[in-house]
Amino acid sequence: MKWLRQLSIYYKINGIIISMLLLLSIIIGFIMMDTTTKLLDQQIEKRGAEIAAYVAALSSNDILLDDNYALFDRINQTKSNTEDVRYILITDSAGRILAHTFAGNFPKGLPIKLSLYPKDEDGYQTMKFSSNEGPIREVIVPIENGAIGYVRVGMSEKSTQQLLSLKLYEFFITTLLVCLLAAMGSTYLAYLIIHPMRNLTKAAQQIQQGNFYVQTEIKTEDEVGRLAGVFNEMIESLKEKDFENNRLLKELRAKEEIRTVLLNKLFTIQEDERKRISRELHDETSQSMASLLAYMKVLLSKLTDEKQRVLLLDARNVAINVLGGLRKMAVELRPPVLDDLGIVAAMDKYITNFSNQQDLMVSFFPPDEKLIINNQIALTLYRILQESLTNISKHAYATSVNITLEQDTGSIILRIDDNGLGIRSGAIEAARQKNRLGIYGMKERVELLGGNFTFHSISGQGTTITVIIPITCLE
């Protein structure tokens, strides 16, 4: 019944009204046919009984006098005066035919022998049979209670059938006209219902497309008119909400732009400050420490006291360690190789040092071709590498890490996989609430460059970080 659900309301209304009308017409037709047939049968029987009683009343003396000519003349004259009478038979009390109105042979199917049944309450007997001339209803009236004989009058149902057919034809034409009028009425009714609904549907489609300035006409005050009124009120409400949403969206976009600018400035200031501190550590502090070591070396060559010499050597070793720490700190803050040799060399050097220091197997798979990217993208990739390896060494308990850097059409892709413990569900949100924003910081850096940062971790099965950044400058 899927097609019925998809059928238009117009066809449903017309179908229901016409179907109910046809069903009602069929029921009324059957009732009318049955009632009319019974009434006509009763009328035929009464007319036949009246004719038979008339003939019986006038024929008793002629039967007693054996005047067959008078009987013959009377029944033929009676038959000729009545259209529905097919034949009249007069029999004696034994059932032998004394006179009849047949010019030739009897019709086939006519019972020649008289079969008597109990009389009905009207004092006559009826029987119906089929002949070669159609159905015939015979009325039998006794003459002097059957002591003298019987009159048999055969009433033809041909005229009755013709009348019945005519009435059925008239009923059919009337039903057809009524169905046509009903179809016209139901069409108009369907139009009154469907037309406003179609307007409402079109308006709803316009609203779905974002047009909140559409209105529906209200031509009536019935249920459909009230629905259209409520729909127009809803549109006005949606229009106001859309206006408010657009205003809030503009404010949000403006705030997002300000936020983006501030984050860019924040990261830029952070990197500049790291670069400045790294330069100071490398150029000033490291040089000062190197000069101090030189002076200490001169002092060692001039000392003769062994205790003083051992003490100065210890101080010199401390200074050497401090100088190494300063240089390491300077490199981590802003590796010179990143500016001199590019992102691939900087990442390779950092990975090598990290692997040696943390006793962790880190595999690096750089691209085959040379990468030429702008400084901002290079810095972002390098900081993500630093943050990721730091997190792995602190929390993952991994034994191996695979790092892949590749260039795709219009973008550069960094993928970091480890075989550590992974991150349990809810741990990232808990870290965010504690202001440990390492992952969120990486995500912010990537999104500021128009890239995509994805983080996938399964507890006990490791973690995968994927960074995709569009290459905005290749020169």
Side-chain angles (χ1 to χ4, degrees):
M1 300 298 288
K2 184 179 180 181
W3 64 271
L4 184 59
R5 294 194 298 271
Q6 297 175 348
L7 201 62
S8 171
I9 296 178
Y10 170 80
Y11 295 107
K12 289 179 180 178
I13 292 176
N14 280 299
I16 291 173
I17 293 177
I18 295 176
S19 298
M20 295 300 294
L21 188 59
L22 287 175
L23 180 62
L24 181 62
S25 299
I26 291 172
I27 294 173
I28 293 175
F30 276 116
I31 295 174
M32 188 191 73
M33 284 179 60
D34 184 64
T35 304
T36 304
T37 302
K38 290 180 179 179
L39 288 175
L40 290 175
D41 288 345
Q42 291 176 2
Q43 290 297 324
I44 290 175
E45 288 182 5
K46 286 184 177 181
R47 289 177 62 190
E50 290 174 357
I51 293 171
Y54 169 75
V55 173
L58 298 177
S59 301
S60 59
N61 291 332
D62 294 333
I63 295 174
L64 293 174
L65 297 174
D66 200 17
D67 188 356
N68 293 334
Y69 177 79
L71 293 175
F72 179 78
D73 182 65
R74 184 178 296 110
I75 62 177
N76 277 282
Q77 187 177 0
T78 303
K79 177 181 178 299
S80 62
N81 293 333
T82 309
E83 182 181 358
D84 294 338
V85 176
R86 173 62 185 87
Y87 63 84
I88 299 176
L89 296 175
I90 297 178
T91 66
D92 58 14
S93 59
R96 292 187 299 270
I97 297 175
L98 301 177
H100 60 81
T101 58
F102 294 107
N105 296 326
F106 292 173
K108 293 182 179 180
L110 174 66
I112 303 300
K113 186 178 180 182
L114 182 62
S115 298
L116 296 177
Y117 301 96
K119 294 182 291 184
D120 56 17
E121 59 183 9
D122 294 324
Y124 59 87
Q125 177 181 323
T126 60
M127 59 180 294
K128 187 175 181 179
F129 61 89
S130 299
S131 67
N132 59 333
E133 297 179 2
I136 294 177
R137 187 179 299 272
E138 186 177 281
V139 181
I140 305 171
V141 175
I143 303 173
E144 299 293 340
N145 294 324
I148 297 177
Y150 297 91
V151 178
R152 298 169 58 183
V153 178
M155 303 296 292
S156 175
E157 295 185 359
K158 185 176 181 180
S159 60
T160 304
Q161 295 294 333
Q162 291 176 350
L163 178 60
L164 186 60
S165 299
L166 177 62
K167 295 301 179 182
L168 287 175
Y169 176 76
E170 293 175 353
F171 178 78
F172 174 76
I173 296 298
T174 304
T175 302
L176 186 62
L177 291 175
V178 171
C179 288
L180 181 60
L181 292 175
M184 295 172 61
S186 61
T187 299
Y188 180 68
L189 177 62
Y191 172 79
L192 292 178
I193 298 175
I194 295 173
H195 183 68
M197 293 180 65
R198 286 177 177 171
N199 290 337
L200 291 175
T201 302
K202 291 179 181 178
Q205 290 174 346
Q206 291 292 323
I207 293 173
Q208 186 180 15
Q209 296 173 2
N211 180 15
F212 296 101
Y213 295 91
V214 63
Q215 288 287 322
T216 58
E217 293 185 44
I218 303 176
K219 296 182 178 180
T220 60
E221 296 182 0
D222 55 9
E223 289 81 356
V224 178
R226 290 195 291 271
L227 177 61
V230 173
F231 188 83
N232 288 336
E233 293 176 2
M234 182 191 69
I235 293 175
E236 289 296 328
S237 177
L238 289 175
K239 189 189 301 183
E240 294 176 0
K241 290 184 180 299
D242 182 65
F243 179 78
E244 181 67 17
N245 289 339
N246 288 334
R247 185 184 65 81
L248 294 175
L249 183 61
K250 288 180 181 179
E251 293 180 0
L252 182 63
R253 287 175 177 172
K255 292 180 180 179
E256 185 66 22
E257 290 177 359
I258 295 173
R259 175 179 173 275
T260 302
V261 172
L262 291 176
L263 283 175
N264 270 321
K265 288 184 178 180
L266 176 64
F267 286 130
T268 301
I269 292 171
Q270 185 184 49
E271 291 298 332
D272 291 343
E273 186 67 15
R274 285 182 175 182
K275 188 174 182 179
R276 184 187 66 80
I277 295 174
S278 175
R279 188 183 299 113
E280 288 182 358
L281 289 175
H282 184 271
D283 295 342
E284 297 180 9
T285 309
S286 295
Q287 291 298 327
S288 298
M289 291 297 298
S291 300
L292 179 62
L293 287 173
Y295 286 128
M296 294 176 74
K297 185 176 181 181
V298 172
L299 287 174
L300 280 172
S301 63
K302 294 181 179 181
L303 285 175
T304 57
D305 189 338
E306 187 63 27
K307 289 183 179 181
Q308 293 179 350
R309 184 180 179 84
V310 171
L311 185 61
L312 186 59
L313 281 173
D314 292 339
R316 187 171 181 272
N317 290 334
V318 172
I320 291 173
N321 291 333
V322 171
L323 179 61
L326 289 174
R327 288 178 175 175
K328 179 183 176 183
M329 187 182 300
V331 170
E332 288 182 352
L333 286 173
R334 181 74 179 195
V337 69
L338 183 63
D339 298 323
D340 298 337
L341 301 179
I343 183 63
V344 175
M347 292 178 72
D348 186 55
K349 184 174 181 181
Y350 182 82
I351 289 169
T352 301
N353 292 335
F354 181 86
S355 179
N356 293 333
Q357 293 172 5
Q358 300 294 330
D359 192 20
L360 179 65
M361 185 177 68
V362 183
S363 302
F364 180 49
F365 304 95
D368 296 331
E369 68 277 5
K370 183 180 180 181
L371 285 181
I372 303 177
I373 55 178
N374 62 30
N375 188 48
Q376 196 172 9
I377 296 177
L379 270 174
T380 299
L381 293 174
Y382 188 80
R383 295 305 180 199
I384 291 174
L385 175 68
Q386 284 183 311
E387 182 69 25
S388 299
L389 289 179
T390 300
N391 290 338
I392 291 171
S393 65
K394 289 181 178 180
H395 310 294
Y397 299 99
T399 58
S400 66
V401 182
N402 293 326
I403 300 174
T404 304
L405 183 67
E406 58 184 356
Q407 181 176 339
D408 198 2
T409 305
S411 61
I412 187 166
I413 302 171
L414 173 64
R415 185 177 291 107
I416 302 173
D417 299 288
D418 69 73
N419 65 347
L421 300 178
I423 301 178
R424 69 182 184 277
S425 177
I428 297 178
E429 182 63 23
R432 186 188 68 81
Q433 293 176 357
K434 295 179 181 179
N435 294 325
R436 292 156 53 188
L437 305 178
I439 293 176
Y440 288 95
M442 291 189 285
K443 189 173 184 294
E444 290 286 353
R445 283 180 176 272
V446 174
E447 290 180 351
L448 284 174
L449 297 176
N452 184 32
F453 178 92
T454 58
F455 180 89
H456 180 70
S457 179
I458 300 176
S459 180
Q461 299 183 20
T463 303
T464 299
I465 292 176
T466 304
V467 177
I468 303 175
I469 302 176
I471 301 176
T472 57
C473 180
L474 294 176
E475 299 295 336

